[in-house]
Amino acid sequence: IPGGDEWRRVSTRVHDLGSQLARFSHDLIQERVMVLAEHKKLTLALSEISDAVISCDKDGKIMLINKPAEELLACPSRILMGKHIDEMVRLYEHDTPLVVSTYYSQAKANGLIRMGNTDRLRLMTAENHERMVSARIGVLGMPASTHNGYMITFHDVSRERFLKKVKADFVFIAAHELRTPLTEVKWAMDLLMGKELGLLSRKQKNLIRRSFDSNEHMIQLVDDLLKTAMVESAQFRYSKMPTDIKKIISDIIQIRKKAAKKKGIILTFKK
């Protein structure tokens, strides 16, 4: 039977172990509280973001997902949560599949990075519809934990492409509609400045000439709008070939010479 000193040592040891266990439990509870607080803040932050955002743990399992991401993937969060990111997100650069989880190590080394080499990736939804997106991935750090996950953001550019096409089509049609009456006005004023319809007074000629110059300026603006619309809608094609730059300059001077002469400007090209 142990003596009184032995019992005191055992009692002290048990008390120390109890104190250590209490501290460990307290620290564990505090860590859980901090993690839950971070989780709530992250959930609230994700709900305010218009882009699709998916948060994963370090093993690639989906932890959080916001509403735009559900809509982009055409899949509810109850199905996505807990699944592996590579199982639920099908991403392609042209026809090459991109494995999302493989970018985690790059993000750990370099911070926020772009996935793929372009901002026009193809994402296939759960309904096998194609969406055009740009994707970024970055490491997600929680101060209360040594485990780092990552966050992927998807920006849907499909709607932007649609709106850009609508704008280009509108400008193209409007420019065409403007050019026709402007050309008719030009012909009418050109006819008036000639002698076919009779002589004009100096005051009348000056007025028509100013109107003619303004009309020419408007035609040039409309032509620029047409060219811009063609470039934006990919209808403008470039053909690269050897070119005589001297001939191009000479042709431009010849076209502008008459307008320059009216303003007292002499254009010359020293070859």
Side-chain angles (χ1 to χ4, degrees):
I1 299 174
D5 291 341
E6 186 69 22
W7 278 114
R8 278 193 293 273
R9 284 195 296 272
V10 171
S11 177
T12 301
R13 181 61 178 163
V14 170
H15 181 270
D16 291 342
L17 288 173
S19 298
Q20 291 177 12
L21 182 60
R23 285 195 298 271
F24 178 76
S25 298
H26 179 268
D27 292 343
L28 189 62
I29 292 171
Q30 287 295 106
E31 181 175 347
R32 180 173 177 79
V33 169
M34 291 179 67
V35 169
L36 288 174
E38 289 294 328
H39 186 277
K40 288 181 178 179
K41 285 196 291 185
L42 185 58
T43 303
L44 181 61
L46 292 184
S47 67
E48 299 297 325
I49 298 174
S50 59
D51 282 338
V53 181
I54 301 175
S55 176
C56 302
D57 64 15
K58 62 182 180 128
D59 298 318
K61 290 184 178 180
I62 297 174
M63 298 187 302
L64 288 172
I65 181 169
N66 66 351
K67 193 66 177 177
E70 293 183 63
E71 295 171 354
L72 180 67
L73 297 174
C75 188
S77 59
R78 58 183 173 78
I79 295 177
L80 294 166
M81 294 291 285
K83 298 291 181 60
H84 197 279
I85 187 70
D86 295 331
E87 178 187 351
M88 305 308 296
V89 176
R90 293 177 293 161
L91 204 60
Y92 300 86
E93 184 171 9
H94 304 301
D95 294 323
T96 305
L98 297 182
V99 182
V100 176
S101 60
T102 58
Y103 287 88
Y104 176 41
S105 58
Q106 297 180 39
K108 286 175 69 177
N110 303 303
L112 185 66
I113 62 169
R114 180 177 70 180
M115 295 175 59
N117 298 312
T118 177
D119 283 332
R120 293 164 61 88
L121 304 176
R122 292 192 302 117
L123 184 142
M124 300 303 296
T125 70
E127 299 171 347
N128 286 323
H129 294 156
E130 182 179 290
R131 307 291 288 270
M132 300 301 294
V133 300
S134 62
R136 301 289 188 275
I137 182 171
V139 172
L140 178 65
M142 292 186 178
S145 176
T146 57
H147 302 292
N148 287 328
Y150 53 93
M151 184 179 291
I152 311 110
T153 60
F154 298 98
H155 180 63
D156 188 358
V157 299
S158 304
R159 178 171 173 78
E160 291 178 8
R161 290 179 65 200
F162 172 74
L163 292 176
K164 189 175 180 180
K165 184 179 183 302
V166 170
K167 184 187 77 172
D169 290 346
F170 171 77
V171 171
F172 193 76
I173 293 170
H176 265 296
E177 293 296 321
L178 283 171
R179 203 183 194 291
T180 301
L182 286 172
T183 303
E184 292 178 355
V185 170
K186 176 183 176 179
W187 289 342
M189 287 191 292
D190 199 25
L191 190 62
L192 284 171
M193 286 191 294
K195 297 181 180 179
E196 291 83 355
L197 300 179
L199 298 176
L200 298 175
S201 67
R202 181 179 298 177
K203 187 176 180 180
Q204 289 171 328
K205 284 183 179 180
N206 290 335
L207 180 61
I208 293 175
R209 187 174 291 110
R210 287 199 300 270
S211 301
F212 183 87
D213 291 341
S214 297
N215 191 71
E216 281 289 291
H217 180 64
M218 286 297 298
I219 290 174
Q220 186 61 49
L221 287 176
V222 169
D223 286 342
D224 290 342
L225 277 174
L226 282 170
K227 290 174 184 177
T228 302
M230 290 174 68
V231 169
E232 290 184 349
S233 61
Q235 296 180 21
F236 199 87
R237 297 287 183 267
Y238 295 96
S239 180
K240 296 181 179 180
M241 63 181 67
T243 305
D244 184 358
I245 188 66
K246 292 181 181 179
K247 184 179 183 305
I248 293 175
I249 295 173
S250 297
D251 290 345
I252 293 173
I253 289 176
Q254 191 63 35
I255 293 170
R256 299 296 181 185
K257 186 176 287 186
K258 185 177 179 181
K261 187 177 179 181
K262 290 179 180 179
K263 297 180 180 181
I265 300 172
I266 300 175
L267 297 177
T268 57
F269 175 40
K270 296 181 179 180
K271 300 181 182 180

